[in-house]
Amino acid sequence: MKESLFLFSSFYKGVYAQEKLRDAGIRTALKKAPVELARSCSYALYLAAEKLPEASRVLRRQNILWLGRYLVERENNRLVYRKIKEKGPQI
């Protein structure tokens, strides 16, 4: 299963987004953001890549802003994060 993530500036923003996605039936996992993406207190909300468009719509409807969206891929036995160009609200 391919994975994707939303990057948030804080734990609390990530938890709030996770609650809204759970209410919409989208399963997620909240984890500390990978250091390749953010070096501060950022958190990432991981979800199945095929759920990313639906999750983006839910968060936009709720006016929840994110720092970025990424596809998580494996290359040469290491994780690579590919940023998805944004067309909607973001910080």
Side-chain angles (χ1 to χ4, degrees), residues 21-91:
L21 292 174
R22 183 178 34 234
D23 291 347
I26 300 172
R27 296 183 68 199
T28 62
L30 184 65
K31 302 177 188 176
K32 189 96 169 99
V35 294
E36 297 90 340
L37 303 181
R39 302 217 189 290
S40 64
C41 308
S42 300
Y43 275 78
L45 199 54
Y46 289 80
L47 63 153
E50 65 267 9
K51 293 290 187 177
L52 187 63
E54 180 184 357
S56 297
R57 284 190 297 275
V58 168
L59 296 180
R60 284 186 179 118
R61 277 196 308 266
Q62 297 291 326
N63 293 316
I64 297 173
L65 305 178
W66 54 79
L67 296 174
R69 297 180 303 167
Y70 296 83
L71 289 178
V72 182
E73 299 174 344
R74 186 170 290 280
E75 284 183 5
N76 300 322
N77 286 333
R78 82 187 234 303
L79 294 177
V80 176
Y81 304 94
R82 303 222 187 275
K83 188 164 188 173
I84 299 168
K85 293 187 181 193
E86 300 293 342
K87 294 181 182 175
Q90 60 180 336
I91 296 174

